Amino acid sequence: MPGWIRGSGMIEKKNSMTAVTAQPKVATLIQDELDTPPLTLGQLTWRRFRRHKMALIGGIVLIFLFFYAFGGSLFASEKYANFNDTSISMQQPSVAHPFGTDAIGRDILARTIYGGQISLIIGLFAVMIETFFGILVGALAGYYGGVLDNILMRITEAMLNIPEIFLLIVMAKFFSGKIPDLEITGRTFSGSVVVIVVIIGATSWMYLARIVRAEFLSLKENDFVLAARATGTSNAEIIFRHILPNSFAPIVVTATLGVANAILAEAYISFLGLGVQPPTATWGNMLDGANNYLDTAPWLWFFPALLILLTVLSINFLGDGLRDALDPRSRAS
Amino acid sequence: MSRYILRRFLQGIPLLFVISLILFMLMMNMGDPIATMGGRSIVRPEERARLTRQLGLDKPIYVQYIYWLIGNDWTKVDLNGDGIAETPGTRHGILRGDFGTSLVNRGESVVQVIGDRLPNTLLLMVASEIVVLLGALLVGIYSALRQYSALDNILTAILFVGYSMPIFFVALLSMYIFSVLFKRWGLPYLPTVGMFDPPVGDTVGQVLLHMILPVLTMSLVSFASYSRYIRSTMLEVMSQDYIRTARAKGLPRTTIVYIHALKNAALPIVTVIGLDLPFLLGGAVVTERIFAWPGTGRLFLDYLGRGDVPVVMGILMIIAVAVVVFQIITDIVYAWLDPRIRYD
Amino acid sequence: MTALLEVNGLRTRFHTPEGMVYAVNGISFHVDEGETLAVVGESGCGKSVSMLSVLQLIMVPPGEISGGVALYRGQDLLKKTDNEMEAIRGKEISMIFQDPMTSLNPVLTIGRQIIESLRKHIGMDQKTAEHRAVELLDLVGISDGLRHLDDYPHQFSGGMRQRVMIAMSLACNPSLLIADEPTTALDVTIQAQIVELITKIRQQVGMAVIWITHDLGVVAGIADRVIVMYAGFIVEEAGVDAMYENPRHPYTSALLNALPRVDQRRGERLKSIAGAPPSLLVEPSGCPFVRRCEYAIERCKIENPPLTLVEPAHTIACWVDIRTGVPR
C-alpha cells in the first residue's frame, strides 16, 4: 500500500508572470477601473478546484458510490443479502442476479450494496480515529518540542518502520472473537467491524502525526503565536484555536487520501480472512477465497474488486484536486 | 561524512529497541504457547507447569523481555518446580542471533525455519524492485524529454489508475487474463501456483516462469507510484535555474536530461527507494498467499494462525531490522551522492 | 553597418490558468558589434522575457513567441529549430543569470560545467579544455584555477560563483553576452567588482553586451545606449548621456526623479511613482503608463503611442512633450 506516496503529487511549476494589482485613484483625468476584481479565499479555492476536472469527476463518482451503498438498501433488504440458497449457488450474472451468485447462493449485487456500506463506514471511522491521534501526537510533539517530541517521534518512527500489514494481521488475530456483535438500528454488525476500524486507525495515525508536527514546528515561530502568548492565551487555546486552523490544508488532504488507504487496508486484511467476519459482508471479504474459483466464476471477485478500485481511484482524484486547491504553492496542469 | 555514518547507525539503535519493545508487547498477547506446542493433545498440568517454567512464562514481563533479548544461558532456570533454579538456560537471546525454537516445528530453531523460506521471498522482492526501478526511470526520463506529448498524457492517466489498484486486484486480474483466458484461447499460459511444477522439478526455468505473475503483481502498483514520483521529480528539476543555464550554454537535450537533470533527481529518488521497503514486504504477504509462493509472507500467515509465537516474532524483528538498516544505508548513499553533504 | 542583433516586433505571451499573460508586446531594438546596451525597467516589465525569447529559452508551453523576428547576423533566431539554436547558444550568444546560487548545477564540479561547453562547441579534448578553463578562471579573477576545477558550486561565495558563471559564458568567445541582472543578488562591493570585470573583458575581447537591470546606477557606469521598458513595451531609447541629462518619456523622467540624491535637502520626501504597473492579464490598449502619468491626455487612454524619433538616436513612445506639457 503506497501510503507514503500520498504526500507527493504531480508538481509542475509554471512560469507564472501574473501581476494582478488593484488600482488606486491617481490622475484626476482618468477614471479608476479595476482590471481583475479581488477574489475571496473561498472563491479562489473553488475556482482552482473546478479547474481540476478530474477531481470533480472523482467527487461525483464518490457521491454515486455512496448512493449505491446506502441508497441501495432501499431496493434490497439485508436479509436478502444474507439469504443463501445453495441450489442457486455459483450462477453467472443474469437478470435475476445481475452480479451473479456466490458459493453459497447469495446474490452478489445485494452483498456489494451492504458490503459497500461496511467498507465505506470502516474507511470513514478509521480515518476519524487516525486523524484524532495523528493531530494529538503531532501537535504535542511539534508544539512542546524537547523530550516529549523525542519520545513521541521515536514511537512514531518505530511504528512507521513496521509494515502496516503485519501490524494489522497480528492485531486482528489478537482481537478476533473478543468483541461481541453489535445491534444498531435493528441490524446486526459483526464485532469484527469495530476491531478493524480500531486497528486500522491505530496503525495509520503516524503519517498525519508527522505532517502535523512539521506544520506546528514551522507555525509556532510565527508572530501571531507570540502575540497570543503575550496576551496570556493558554497553550491549549493556542494549539487548537490559533495554530491548528492554519494547518487545515494538509490535514484535510491527508485525511481524504487516508480514507482510500483505510478501505484498501480493510480489503487486504479481509481478503486474508482476518478482517470482518461473515455473514457481515465487506468488499474485501467477498474476495476471500475468490482465487479458488478464478476460472469458473470470475464474477465472484470482479465486482467487489472493481468497486474498491473505483472508490480508491475517485478518492485519489479528489485528494489530488483538494491538494492543488488548498495549497497555493503547488500547481498541476 | 564518516561522522554522519556513525551518527545514523547510533540513531538506529534506540529505534530498534523501541520497535522490539512494541513487538514484544504485541506478541505477549498473541496466544497460548503451551497449547500450540501441545497441538491437539491436552497438556497435563505437570507438563504445563514445567513448560511454563522452561519457557520462562512464569517470570514478570520485563524479565521475559530481557531473556528474549539476551538469553538466559547466563542464569539458571528452575525446571523441576522446587523453587530453586538449578538448570542453566539454553537461550542466547536475539542479540546473539538466537530467536528461539519454533513451537510448531518442534525442535527446529526459528532461524532455520525462517531461513528456509527467506530466499524465496527475497527472490521476488529483488526482482520486483529491479523491474520497478528500471521501468520507472524509463518513464520518468521519457516524461522529461517529451512533456505534454500525447503518450505522456496517456501514461499519466494509466499510472494514476495503476497506483490506485489494490494488489489483489492486479493479481486476480493478471491471473485471469494470463492464465485462465490464455489457456482458454489456446495460447501459452502462465502458471499461478507455487515456485515450480512438481513433475518438472525445481529448475531455473520453472522458477522463472512461475515468478512472472507474482513479480508482475508486486511491481505494478509500486511501479505506478514510483513513476509518478520520478516523473514529478524530473519535471521539477527540469524547471530549475541551472537547467536554464545548461540550455543557454547550448548543450544537447540528452546531456541536459541524463546528466544535469538526472543527477539531481537521483537524490530524492534514492530517499524514496529507502522508504519503500516496508510496502514491498507487505505486498509480499498478499502476493505469496494468492500465488501459493513458499516465502516468509506465507510463513507468517500460516504460523500466526497456528500460534507459533517465536517464529512470528522472529519474522517481525527481522523485518524491522531490515527496514531500519535499509533506511540507514539509503541515507548514507544520499549523503554520498550529494556533494553539498559529502564535502562539508 | 548592419547590427549584430536586430529585433523587430517581438511578442511573447504565456498561457496560464488565470488567462493569457501578455509579457512582451511588440518591441524592436538593435545591438551593434562591441556596444553595450542596457535594458532598464521594473520587475515584470518584460526585460528578461524578451531576451529569453530571443534565445528561444522560454518554456513552450506555456510560453509562446507570438510574433516578431530576431535577426542575428541576418539570420532569424526565432525561426530556428531547437537543434539549430544549440549551435548559437553558448557559442555565438551567451547568457548569464541573476542568481548564481541556483544557476549553477549543484552536483557537478565547476570544471565540468565550464569544460562541457568547450568540448561541445569547439570540440576540444579534455586536456586542452582544462587548460582553457584555467585560463578563463584566471581571466575572471579566480587564481589557482587548476585546483578549483574539482570544486563544487556550494564551496564558493556568491561573488565567486558569478565569476564562474561569467567564465562559463565566455568559454567559446561569444560575440554577444546577455547579462540578466547579474549583480542584483550580490553585495554592493561585489557588484562593483563584477561590473568592472565585464567592462574589462568587453574591452579586451570586443564583445557586445546586453545588460538587463533595474539599477540606474549600474546603467550609468557601463552602458553606451539604454532602452527603457514598461509593461512589455519599449518606451524610450537613447544614448546613455542623453537619457540621463534629457529624459523625454514621463516614465523615464519619473524613474530618474525617484533616485535619492546626495544633494537632496534633509526632510524632503523621496519622489515615488504613484500606482502600480498594469495587469499583464489584460490585452494592452492605449498607453500602458497612462494611469500613473502626470502628463496624460485623453488620447493616451485610447491609442498606444508608437516609438518616434525626437532627437538624433533618441526615440520615445509618448503623445506629449514633457518639457512643455503640450501634445506633440
Side-chain angles (χ1 to χ4, degrees), chain A residues 17 19, chain C residues 41-47 98 181 213-214 229 231 251 277 280:
Chain A
M17 302 275 295
Chain C
E42 46 193 286
S43 304
C45 71
K47 41 193 205 300
Q98 176 173 336
E181 305 208 46
T213 179
H214 60 256
M229 284 188 69
Y251 178 58
L280 293 173

Side-chain angles (χ1 to χ4, degrees), chain B residues 223-239:
Chain B
F223 165 72
S225 53
Y226 265 98
S227 294
R228 267 164 57 99
Y229 189 73
I230 293 183
R231 182 179 178 276
S232 81
T233 306
M234 280 296 278
L235 289 176
E236 204 177 320
V237 165
M238 290 294 285
S239 69

Side-chain angles (χ1 to χ4, degrees), chain B residues 13-212:
Chain B
I13 296 179
L15 188 61
L16 284 172
F17 267 112
V18 176
I19 294 180
S20 70
L21 270 169
I22 293 179
L23 289 176
F24 189 76
M25 287 192 297
L26 216 52
M27 294 314 298
M28 273 302 100
N29 302 300
M30 252 278 307
D32 183 8
I34 313 268
T36 312
M37 284 176 81
R40 292 230 202 95
S41 52
I42 317 253
V43 186
R44 290 193 316 259
E46 316 89 67
E47 266 299 296
R48 170 174 280 272
R50 191 180 69 83
L51 279 173
T52 306
R53 286 191 302 267
Q54 182 174 35
L55 293 173
L57 295 172
D58 51 339
K59 298 272 196 265
I61 293 240
Y62 63 88
V63 175
Q64 289 192 43
Y65 176 69
I66 293 179
Y67 281 175
W68 178 65
L69 212 53
I70 54 178
N72 61 4
D73 58 352
W74 45 273
T75 184
K76 297 201 194 316
V77 179
D78 173 24
L79 268 186
N80 50 18
D82 56 3
I84 310 170
E86 77 296 319
T87 326
T90 50
R91 293 160 61 182
H92 303 297
I94 61 169
L95 288 182
R96 284 183 280 163
D98 175 13
F99 283 82
T101 337
S102 163
L103 297 177
V104 171
N105 298 13
R106 294 279 215 114
E108 250 185 272
S109 75
V110 169
V111 174
Q112 196 180 340
V113 173
I114 298 178
D116 275 343
R117 305 278 203 111
L118 192 60
N120 302 337
T121 303
L122 285 176
L123 193 61
L124 282 187
M125 282 175 54
V126 170
S128 299
E129 193 71 15
I130 293 177
V131 166
V132 166
L133 279 177
L134 282 179
L137 268 174
L138 283 173
V139 169
I141 295 177
Y142 179 80
S143 292
L145 283 171
R146 299 246 177 286
Q147 195 186 352
Y148 299 114
S149 71
L151 186 56
D152 182 44
N153 286 326
I154 295 176
L155 215 54
T156 310
I158 295 180
L159 287 177
F160 199 90
V161 175
Y163 152 74
S164 309
M165 274 193 172
I167 290 189
F168 44 75
F169 194 32
V170 178
L172 293 171
L173 203 61
S174 57
M175 274 170 82
Y176 189 66
I177 295 177
F178 294 108
S179 193
V180 177
L181 287 182
F182 270 33
K183 193 168 173 186
R184 221 178 271 173
W185 299 333
L187 293 169
Y189 62 94
L190 290 171
T192 60
V193 177
M195 275 179 78
F196 54 86
D197 284 334
V200 183
D202 188 359
T203 67
V204 173
Q206 271 289 301
V207 174
L208 281 177
L209 200 61
H210 278 78
M211 263 172 75
I212 295 180

Side-chain angles (χ1 to χ4, degrees), chain B residues 147-148 235 238-256 259-264 267 337-344, chain C residues 52 56-59 61 82 85-86 89-91 93-95 97-99 102-108 112-114 116-117 120-121 152 154-155 165 168:
Chain B
Q147 195 186 352
Y148 299 114
L235 289 176
M238 290 294 285
S239 69
Q240 291 295 315
D241 283 350
Y242 51 81
I243 298 292
R244 183 182 54 177
T245 307
R247 286 184 72 204
K249 290 196 313 198
L251 296 174
R253 206 92 217 268
T254 42
T255 309
I256 296 181
I259 298 178
H260 284 253
L262 203 53
K263 269 193 139 186
N264 277 283
L267 298 175
L337 281 179
D338 188 344
R340 287 166 290 195
I341 302 181
R342 182 152 52 125
Y343 298 110
D344 222 337
Chain C
L52 287 171
Q56 285 206 47
L57 284 176
I58 301 285
M59 299 281 287
D82 212 42
M85 283 306 291
E86 277 175 18
R89 298 181 197 135
K91 180 147 196 301
I93 308 179
S94 273
M95 191 159 176
F97 301 96
Q98 176 173 336
D99 190 350
T102 56
S103 298
L104 288 172
N105 196 324
V107 301
L108 298 174
R112 169 78 184 262
Q113 297 187 53
I114 299 178
E116 58 185 354
S117 289
K120 199 262 171 177
H121 291 299
Y152 289 90
H154 73 276
Q155 295 169 286
M165 283 277 296
M168 266 168 47

Side-chain angles (χ1 to χ4, degrees), chain A residues 98-146:
Chain A
F99 284 2
T101 58
D102 71 0
I104 55 175
R106 294 179 287 201
D107 177 44
I108 293 187
L109 176 61
R111 279 184 80 71
T112 59
I113 291 176
Y114 285 91
Q117 290 181 7
I118 306 291
S119 292
L120 290 172
I121 288 176
I122 289 179
L124 286 172
F125 279 89
V127 163
M128 285 198 265
I129 293 180
E130 72 186 57
T131 305
F132 176 74
F133 282 107
I135 293 181
L136 193 65
V137 171
L140 288 175
Y143 186 75
Y144 287 106

Side-chain angles (χ1 to χ4, degrees), chain A residues 1 4 8-10 12 161 163 166 169 174 264 267-268 272 287 291 294-295 298 305 309 312-313 316-317 320, chain B residues 15 29 156 160 164 166-169 175-176 180 184 229 231-232 272 276 278-279 289-290 304 319 323 327:
Chain A
M1 292 167 273
W4 56 265
S8 74
M10 287 185 279
E12 289 146 16
N161 275 319
F166 289 99
I169 293 175
F174 168 57
L264 275 177
Y268 279 111
L272 294 172
L287 292 164
N291 52 331
L294 195 64
D295 44 347
L309 177 63
V312 171
L313 202 57
N316 279 337
F317 277 140
D320 252 16
Chain B
L15 188 61
N29 302 300
T156 310
F160 199 90
S164 309
I167 290 189
F168 44 75
F169 194 32
M175 274 170 82
Y176 189 66
V180 177
R184 221 178 271 173
Y229 189 73
R231 182 179 178 276
S232 81
V272 151
D276 198 43
F279 297 94
R289 165 71 142 66
I290 295 178
L304 179 67
I319 290 175
V323 169
Q327 282 185 7

